[in-house]
Amino acid sequence: MTTLVGVLSFVAVLALAVILGYLVVKGASSLDWNFFVKNPVPAGQAGGGVANAIVGTVIIVGVAALIGLPIGIGTGLYLAEYGSGRFGWIVRFVADVLNGTPSIVVGIFAWTWLVRPMGHFSALAGSVALAVLMVPMIARTTEEMVRLVPHSLREAALALGYPRWRTSLRIVARTALAGILTSCLVGIARIAGETAPLLFTALGNLNFSSSILQPMQTLSLQVFTYGTGPFDEWHRLAWAAALVLMGLVLLLSLTARWALRSRHGAAR
Amino acid sequence: MDDGSPVAPDRPALVGRNAVDRLYRAALTGLALSLPLLLVALLAELVASAWPAITRFGVRFLWTSVWDPVAGVFGAAPMIFGTLASSLLALLFAVPLALGVAIYLTEFSPKWLRQPVAFLVELLAAIPSVVYGLWGIFVLIPFLRGYVVPPLRGVLGWTPFLQGVFYGNSLLAGGVILAIMIVPYIAAVSREVLLAVPSSQREAALGMGATRWEAVWTAVVPYGRAGLIGAVILGLGRALGETMAVTMLIGNRHDIGLSVLQPAYTMAAAVANEFSEATTNLYLSALFEVGLILFVVTVVVNALARLMIWRVARGTAVGSRAL
């Protein structure tokens, strides 16, 4: 039986290796300068790149982070500092439940709130959808990180006459800064690859666009459109875009891990 | 309500009395309030938008299978069936694998191996859904067609589950990709639950003369049972709502069939595919109702999972170790 569970672990790791391996093998050959700086060409033609999708991903995820991070971090601080009562329990529970909400449902929510009133698809609606996905995640991980701050530190500051808010911001949040940063990076990494909530908010765009009130392309939407399309050229670009997207997500995850490790030693 | 969290006790001496303190607390409370409000707003918005379909079709919506946008007749049974079938199929593959990983990592693996393997398994959770979908189309489906389906048919071809021609996009492909996707979630949470089991449990069993495997199976696993079931339910919640990879692999056909080799449909896939091309208000409203059903089901499933996990590993953010 011991061998069996060992083999099962091996299988799980193997799955990762196979997926990443295919991404590199199929995607790397299409990565060249043009891929990063050119916009898509009409279907059927060779060449072209995904510059519009790369810029779009950065803009949409960046705006989502601007909206989502303050709310998420604030909620996390609340839960860690004041969350011992009934309301704290409710917020914690709702955050965990929202964390499991299908992203497509959040997408139609953003559609009813922003796309329908505005009358057209927009990158902003996509950002809002991603922010909604981000908040519960950031809140819970921030809370965990703030909780790691020793209680004695807080008491020492209060004993020195610091008011509670300064203790919370200057002592507690600052001590947990590396942890909070980690949770932000993980949150951004998770939403950077989201596709479903963008399908009918940001919609996608075959041309270059940097206006957040207009439809915009992202790498994830590009992978979906090209991967399910009929042309070999599209499939080639889809693999390359997937590789870039995966690289971006991995980079964020690994940075997050490294930030935490360097701060807390081998805390985990 | 006490959840055992080590939060600052509200001792009068430590409670701030100045105005900025109150302001700070009010500001944080306001931000925290956004989450419950969001949940209520989500639900209200979905119900309001789905209302025309709800009043028009009633509960019939749940078990009729006609989906005809032209005639304006909608029934969601095939999607509900497909969602449940693909998720259960995924659990069938993922649960043994994930529990195996969790048990191996907490109980048997050499210490130096724990961190790297746990990290690699958790990286599976970081892969975007759409990348799984792409991989599924070009790698998994050819693999299933070439190496899995023919031998499977040879052995079990007489059962109703393996009938019909296998074109690739099917319930089987959707279930397998979902399984790969939910393994890291179930494994990470199970691992936390197993780590939360006191070592006295283990030691007592070993002291009675149990082998290490017997100790795990008779003392550790039963102690964490509620949490482990919670972990599985959490995985189910993920599988039910997963959209992109399934949309790309399951075939998207409004049909109920027993054969896993045939295309099917899920609720999430239907919304993803049809939402932006819904032309009539009733059509759109029907899709909202599908979204509403999906939302309510996942909320219930997740709430159940959290409560069960909290019974064992109290108050921790589930999956936070996946950092």
Side-chain angles (χ1 to χ4, degrees):
Chain A
M1 287 311 277
T2 314
T3 326
L4 180 68
V5 288
V7 168
L8 289 175
S9 302
F10 177 73
V11 169
V13 174
L14 188 72
L16 179 78
V18 169
I19 292 172
L20 291 185
Y22 265 99
L23 271 183
V24 172
V25 169
K26 294 221 170 191
S29 59
S30 307
L31 290 183
D32 53 16
W33 184 244
N34 283 339
F35 181 80
F36 291 100
V37 299
K38 290 251 173 75
N39 286 323
V41 293
Q45 286 185 29
V50 294
N52 61 335
I54 294 174
V55 172
T57 302
V58 172
I59 294 177
I60 288 182
V61 172
V63 174
L66 279 182
I67 304 169
L69 289 184
I71 304 178
I73 294 173
T75 307
L77 269 176
Y78 174 85
L79 286 176
E81 298 276 30
Y82 305 104
S84 55
R86 180 180 287 269
F87 179 62
W89 189 90
I90 292 174
V91 171
R92 199 169 288 127
F93 188 71
V94 168
D96 276 354
V97 167
L98 280 178
N99 246 339
T101 301
S103 54
I104 187 94
V105 173
V106 174
I108 52 179
F109 178 68
W111 184 88
T112 54
W113 269 42
L114 285 160
V115 177
R116 189 155 59 179
M118 284 169 72
H120 60 86
F121 299 98
S122 71
L124 182 66
S127 292
V128 168
L130 293 185
V132 167
L133 285 172
M134 204 174 183
V135 167
M137 207 150 57
I138 302 276
R140 289 296 268 132
T141 42
T142 300
E143 183 201 357
E144 289 261 294
M145 294 302 164
V146 174
R147 283 274 177 84
L148 291 178
V149 176
H151 206 60
S152 53
L153 218 60
R154 189 176 285 137
E155 280 168 356
L158 290 170
L160 286 171
Y162 254 41
R164 254 194 106 112
W165 68 274
R166 279 190 90 176
T167 310
S168 177
L169 286 180
R170 294 292 303 272
I171 309 291
V172 178
R174 208 160 179 187
T175 311
L177 196 61
I180 296 177
L181 215 65
T182 303
S183 69
C184 294
L185 286 176
V186 171
I188 293 173
R190 291 273 161 85
I191 60 161
E194 279 291 350
T195 318
L198 300 177
L199 284 174
F200 25 81
T201 50
L203 188 68
N205 191 337
L206 285 177
N207 301 306
F208 186 88
S209 160
S210 58
S211 160
I212 61 164
L213 295 179
Q214 294 302 320
M216 200 184 275
Q217 186 70 297
T218 71
L219 280 169
S220 51
L221 287 169
Q222 193 94 30
V223 173
F224 179 58
T225 324
Y226 279 6
T228 52
F231 308 106
D232 283 343
E233 182 70 9
W234 278 16
H235 296 163
R236 190 179 68 76
L237 287 172
W239 279 105
L243 179 63
V244 171
L245 182 62
M246 192 63 227
L248 184 75
V249 170
L250 275 188
L251 189 71
L252 285 167
S253 309
L254 291 174
T255 313
R257 226 182 146 72
W258 173 80
L260 195 67
R261 175 80 39 100
S262 62
R263 181 81 191 191
H264 292 289
R268 282 168 187 261
Chain B
M1 218 178 284
D2 179 38
D3 62 341
S5 45
V7 173
D10 279 345
R11 264 174 270 150
L14 294 182
V15 176
R17 288 275 172 254
N18 73 49
V20 190
D21 266 0
R22 276 200 291 274
L23 190 69
Y24 179 68
R25 181 170 186 160
L28 287 191
T29 311
L31 289 178
L33 197 61
S34 65
L35 283 180
L37 286 182
L38 190 64
L39 186 69
V40 173
L42 259 168
L43 196 62
E45 193 63 60
L46 286 176
V47 172
S49 299
W51 198 247
I54 296 175
T55 47
R56 175 76 172 268
F57 303 113
V59 280
R60 252 184 323 141
F61 191 75
L62 298 178
W63 66 76
T64 53
S65 18
V66 182
W67 186 268
D68 188 347
V70 180
V73 182
F74 299 97
M79 300 165 204
I80 295 172
F81 169 81
T83 306
L84 293 178
S86 59
S87 301
L88 293 180
L89 203 59
L91 284 186
L92 194 70
F93 301 129
V95 168
L97 193 61
L99 290 184
V101 171
I103 292 177
Y104 179 71
L105 285 180
T106 48
E107 311 289 339
F108 295 111
S109 83
K111 254 210 158 94
W112 57 269
L113 203 61
R114 280 175 201 191
Q115 282 296 321
V117 173
F119 177 61
L120 288 176
V121 171
E122 281 155 9
L123 268 190
L124 275 174
I127 299 178
S129 169
V130 70
V131 174
Y132 275 110
L134 185 73
W135 183 81
I137 292 176
F138 293 107
V139 182
L140 180 66
I141 284 182
F143 177 76
L144 287 177
R145 192 188 290 129
Y147 303 100
V148 177
V149 172
L152 207 61
R153 244 200 244 272
V155 184
L156 295 166
W158 49 272
T159 60
F161 305 111
L162 294 169
Q163 298 302 315
V165 185
F166 181 72
Y167 289 111
N169 287 11
S170 57
L171 200 56
L172 180 67
V176 171
I177 206 77
L178 274 178
I180 302 176
M181 295 178 77
I182 62 175
V183 160
Y185 290 101
I186 304 181
V189 180
S190 308
R191 186 162 157 256
E192 265 168 62
V193 167
L194 291 180
L195 284 174
V197 174
S199 45
S200 55
Q201 284 285 321
R202 244 165 243 125
E203 285 156 13
L206 292 172
M208 302 270 290
T211 63
R212 281 176 75 189
W213 176 258
E214 283 165 350
V216 169
W217 202 244
T218 58
V220 177
V221 169
Y223 186 93
R225 190 186 288 130
L228 293 178
I229 295 174
V232 171
I233 299 178
L234 200 70
L236 176 67
R238 291 270 159 189
L240 290 172
E242 179 46 53
T243 313
M244 297 316 295
V246 179
T247 307
M248 290 161 90
L249 293 179
I250 204 162
N252 303 332
R253 197 172 74 185
H254 288 281
D255 212 350
I256 297 182
L258 279 178
S259 172
V260 296
L261 303 183
Q262 295 301 306
Y265 218 171
T266 71
M267 292 190 269
V271 177
N273 276 326
E274 301 180 21
F275 195 83
S276 46
E277 54 203 48
T279 39
T280 62
N281 279 333
L282 189 63
Y283 190 4
L284 203 57
S285 178
L287 286 171
F288 267 107
E289 189 171 353
V290 171
L292 177 66
I293 297 169
L294 184 62
F295 181 61
V296 170
V297 169
T298 49
V299 164
V300 170
V301 165
N302 277 301
L304 202 69
R306 301 296 159 167
L307 291 175
M308 297 192 80
I309 295 163
W310 281 4
R311 270 171 58 184
V312 183
R314 289 193 147 225
T316 56
V318 164
S320 65
R321 271 172 212 280
L323 292 176

